[in-house]
């Protein structure tokens, strides 16, 4: 009898833990807005799959013109076709954008400005988490894709956003920056001096801290313009973000994600809440988690660091921003 109970314990204890973990991680608040977006235009980065694709589908169903700003044309066009079919909307399009390349960002903005009259929603969703690599501009990839590319894209698109106001900028962040040990090192932003200190999650967290500081500083520069920047956390989502994590550890993470993480539709709810809900003007620059404003720790509200990051970002992106307008330096 003792062996019988021991056998049952060995079998069912991990299942119980898995069930509780799944319940905790997938607990989701849903966006309740019924708002229509007919005549509005949205740009969503990294929307050929995952949460970005789910956001695009929801907006298309609301009558919004949706532009998928993505790196992979084949995957993006397949997503366009699927979203058109599911939303019964033909107003879904693809434009090529590689956030790891400042040249690509500038080309995208130039093309967008020539084709589109307005921009009501900019959802900076694309992200990278993986091995250290250096982009064509000499930037560490996590920082380039998660932050610098979006910094340049957002500032170059501000004239369209202002002309279309009230409009919103939704920066998809994470909770990876919440640890007090997560800091920005602008003396060695690309891990050139200490490449051995690079870790996937550490670099990812640092890039998301930059996103948070950027959002807060952007809110200050946009005061009075009716352009509302917000940062959001989607929660743990079954997406392609972990695809670059190698080895057995990566396999385990992807397995846990498959079994326990939120669906992409569930992950889309907080970005949709930030993009669509009334009354968000009072929370400009804030961090939204599970469709609620989230209080930030002190190291994320460092105004001096936010200003230093902004100035550094202007310099490396070769632009100058005055009165909310970006010009090439």
């Amino acid at each position: 009898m003792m062996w019988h109970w021991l056998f049952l314990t060995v079998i069912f204890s991990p299942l119980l833990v898995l069930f509780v973990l799944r319940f905790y991680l997938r607990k989701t608040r849903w966006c309740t807005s019924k708002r229509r977006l007919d005549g509005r235009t949205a740009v969503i980065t990294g929307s050929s799959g995952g949460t970005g694709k789910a956001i695009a589908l929801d907006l298309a169903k609301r009558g919004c013109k949706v532009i998928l700003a993505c790196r992979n044309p084949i995957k993006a066009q397949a997503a366009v076709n699927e979203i058109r079919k599911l939303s019964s909307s033909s107003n879904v399009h693809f434009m090529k954008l590689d956030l790891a390349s400042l040249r690509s960002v500038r080309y995208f903005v130039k093309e967008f400005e020539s084709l589109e009259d307005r921009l009501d929603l900019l959802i900076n969703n694309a992200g990278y988490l993986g091995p250290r690599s250096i982009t064509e501009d000499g930037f560490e990839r996590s920082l380039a894709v998660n932050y610098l590319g979006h910094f340049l894209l957002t500032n170059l698109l501000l004239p369209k956003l202002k002309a279309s106001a009230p409009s919103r900028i939704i920066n998809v962040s994470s909770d990876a920056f919440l640890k007090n040990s997560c800091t920005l090192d602008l003396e060695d932003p690309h891990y050139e001096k200490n490449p051995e200190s690079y870790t996937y999650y550490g670099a990812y967290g640092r890039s998301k801290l930059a996103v948070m500081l950027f959002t807060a500083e952007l809110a200050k520069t946009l005061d009075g313009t009716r352009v509302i920047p917000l940062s959001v956390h989607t929660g743990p989502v079954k997406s392609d973000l972990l695809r670059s994590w190698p080895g057995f550890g990566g396999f385990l993470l992807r397995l846990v994600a498959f079994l326990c993480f939120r669906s992409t539709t569930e992950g889309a709810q907080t970005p949709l809440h930030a993009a669509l809900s009334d009354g968000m003007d009072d929370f400009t620059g804030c961090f939204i988690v599970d469709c609620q404003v989230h209080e930030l720790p002190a190291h994320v509200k460092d105004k001096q660091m936010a200003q230093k990051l902004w100035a550094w970002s202007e310099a490396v992106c070769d632009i100058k921003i005055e009165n909310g307008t970006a010009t090439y330096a």
Side-chain angles (χ1 to χ4, degrees), residues 242-278:
L242 296 173
R243 65 185 180 275
S244 298
W245 201 300
F248 185 67
F251 168 77
L252 285 179
L253 283 172
R254 288 186 289 273
L255 180 61
V256 171
F258 175 76
L259 294 173
C260 299
F261 283 12
R262 297 175 181 178
S263 69
T264 55
T265 300
E266 291 168 337
Q269 296 310 304
T270 296
L272 288 169
H273 171 80
L276 300 169
S277 297
D278 296 329

Side-chain angles (χ1 to χ4, degrees), residues 258-312:
F258 175 76
L259 294 173
C260 299
F261 283 12
R262 297 175 181 178
S263 69
T264 55
T265 300
E266 291 168 337
Q269 296 310 304
T270 296
L272 288 169
H273 171 80
L276 300 169
S277 297
D278 296 329
M280 299 307 292
D281 297 21
D282 296 331
F283 301 106
T284 181
C286 287
F287 184 42
I288 313 297
V289 181
D290 282 335
C291 300
Q292 295 181 323
V293 176
H294 187 81
E295 182 61 31
L296 295 172
H299 80 289
V300 185
K301 296 187 288 187
D302 188 333
K303 295 180 180 179
Q304 186 176 8
M305 176 55 75
Q307 292 170 357
K308 287 182 179 179
L309 175 66
W310 186 283
W312 176 83

Side-chain angles (χ1 to χ4, degrees), residues 50 58 96 105 124 129-130 134 159 183 251 260 280 296 303 311:
D58 186 282
K96 184 174 176 58
V105 174
N124 293 321
L129 184 155
I134 300 299
T183 58
F251 168 77
C260 299
M280 299 307 292
L296 295 172
K303 295 180 180 179

Side-chain angles (χ1 to χ4, degrees), residues 102-113:
L102 298 184
R103 175 174 50 85
S104 176
V105 174
R106 293 188 180 101
Y107 182 83
F108 172 90
V109 172
K110 184 177 180 181
E111 184 180 14
F112 179 86
E113 289 177 336

Side-chain angles (χ1 to χ4, degrees), residues 111-221:
E111 184 180 14
F112 179 86
E113 289 177 336
S114 69
L115 295 173
E116 304 297 331
D117 295 327
R118 62 182 303 120
L119 178 58
D120 302 271
L121 277 174
L122 173 59
I123 302 180
N124 293 321
N125 166 77
Y128 172 80
L129 184 155
R132 180 178 181 268
S133 65
I134 300 299
T135 68
E136 65 181 44
D137 300 299
F139 305 145
E140 185 274 313
R141 185 168 296 274
S142 293
L143 191 64
V145 174
N146 300 343
Y147 168 64
L148 278 172
H150 284 130
F151 174 87
L152 180 61
L153 177 70
T154 300
N155 279 295
L156 293 182
L157 287 175
L158 279 180
K160 287 288 187 187
L161 287 159
K162 289 179 180 178
S164 307
S167 54
R168 295 184 190 178
I169 301 163
I170 311 301
N171 292 325
V172 177
S173 186
S174 168
D175 61 358
F177 65 86
L178 289 175
K179 295 180 180 179
N180 287 321
S181 58
C182 182
T183 58
L184 281 172
D185 181 4
L186 297 182
E187 298 299 319
D188 188 23
H190 311 301
Y191 293 90
E192 294 171 311
K193 297 178 181 177
N194 297 294
E196 67 282 353
S197 66
Y198 182 93
T199 63
Y200 300 170
Y201 200 66
Y204 180 77
R206 192 161 78 164
S207 70
K208 292 303 185 177
L209 174 58
V211 170
M212 299 300 300
L213 294 170
F214 166 53
T215 304
E217 193 67 14
L218 187 62
K220 289 167 54 180
T221 67

